Amino acid sequence: MSYIITKNTLAIIPRGKKSKIIEGKHSLVANEETAKIIEQNCYLNGSTLEGRIKGSSYLLGSSYKPPIIINDSLNIILIPTHSIRNKDCHWINLITMLHYSPTNDNKVLIEFINNHKLIINISYNIFDKQVLRATRLESTIKGRIYQKYL
């Protein structure tokens, strides 16, 4: 069984054929590639990765590096740092981010709600666009849920 992504999962980072998972105040290594972990979690929540990609792309009107809804009831949306098919793609859990800022060497420093910090090799402008896409997706989902109760 693959690692189950929860609201405590901060990031999933590729390490060759394995994945480093930062969860809460500790990290662990899973013996699966990140893409397989993401795919399995999509299955656990009633969809496929391809279905989640199509859904996000439809809701956002953009198919380039869409954020992925892992669990809409727990509000778990993962932000890819690169193309989803890129073996170096890191996945960041939107709801666990507190703040992010550029570093002096054109990377991004992410501070999570538990004060854990992570530097990722991506430009600030690109990551900022990814976060904006993810928050737009989150807002769209919440709006649809809210409309059901009106």
Side-chain angles (χ1 to χ4, degrees):
M1 180 65 171
S2 283
Y3 170 80
I4 297 176
I5 298 168
T6 69
K7 60 184 179 178
N8 296 319
T9 305
L10 305 178
I12 304 172
I13 303 166
R15 293 288 184 253
K17 297 222 179 250
K18 297 182 179 188
S19 301
K20 177 181 178 182
I21 299 165
I22 303 171
E23 183 179 82
K25 298 241 181 218
H26 65 281
S27 62
L28 56 108
V29 175
N31 290 321
E32 293 134 342
E33 293 180 355
T34 56
K36 183 169 183 181
I37 292 171
I38 304 299
E39 180 78 47
Q40 290 294 317
N41 277 270
C42 289
Y43 289 152
L44 287 172
N45 289 286
S47 187
T48 63
L49 178 55
E50 193 62 34
R52 297 291 188 181
I53 290 169
K54 286 180 181 178
S56 292
S57 296
Y58 175 79
L59 291 172
L60 295 173
S62 169
S63 62
Y64 184 66
K65 293 193 293 188
I68 301 298
I69 304 163
I70 295 296
N71 186 318
D72 56 345
S73 63
L74 294 177
N75 201 32
I76 299 173
I77 298 173
L78 297 184
I79 302 168
T81 59
H82 296 78
S83 166
I84 292 169
R85 292 176 187 16
N86 185 324
K87 297 278 187 196
D88 295 324
C89 182
H90 293 41
W91 294 86
I92 310 298
N93 189 346
L94 175 66
I95 63 169
T96 64
M97 288 191 332
L98 178 64
H99 178 74
Y100 58 97
S101 59
T103 65
N104 291 334
D105 55 351
N106 199 32
K107 295 180 182 178
V108 174
L109 171 66
I110 302 171
E111 185 176 346
F112 294 95
I113 56 176
N114 68 349
N115 296 319
H116 182 84
K117 293 180 181 165
L118 176 68
I119 295 176
I120 56 172
N121 190 13
I122 187 173
S123 80
Y124 177 82
N125 289 336
I126 291 172
F127 188 71
D128 189 50
K129 285 178 187 175
Q130 289 301 100
V131 172
L132 291 174
R133 281 186 186 124
T135 55
R136 202 166 95 222
L137 181 61
E138 177 186 39
S139 176
T140 301
I141 293 167
K142 284 183 178 178
R144 288 173 183 251
I145 291 170
Y146 178 74
Q147 285 179 348
K148 286 181 185 178
Y149 297 105
L150 290 182

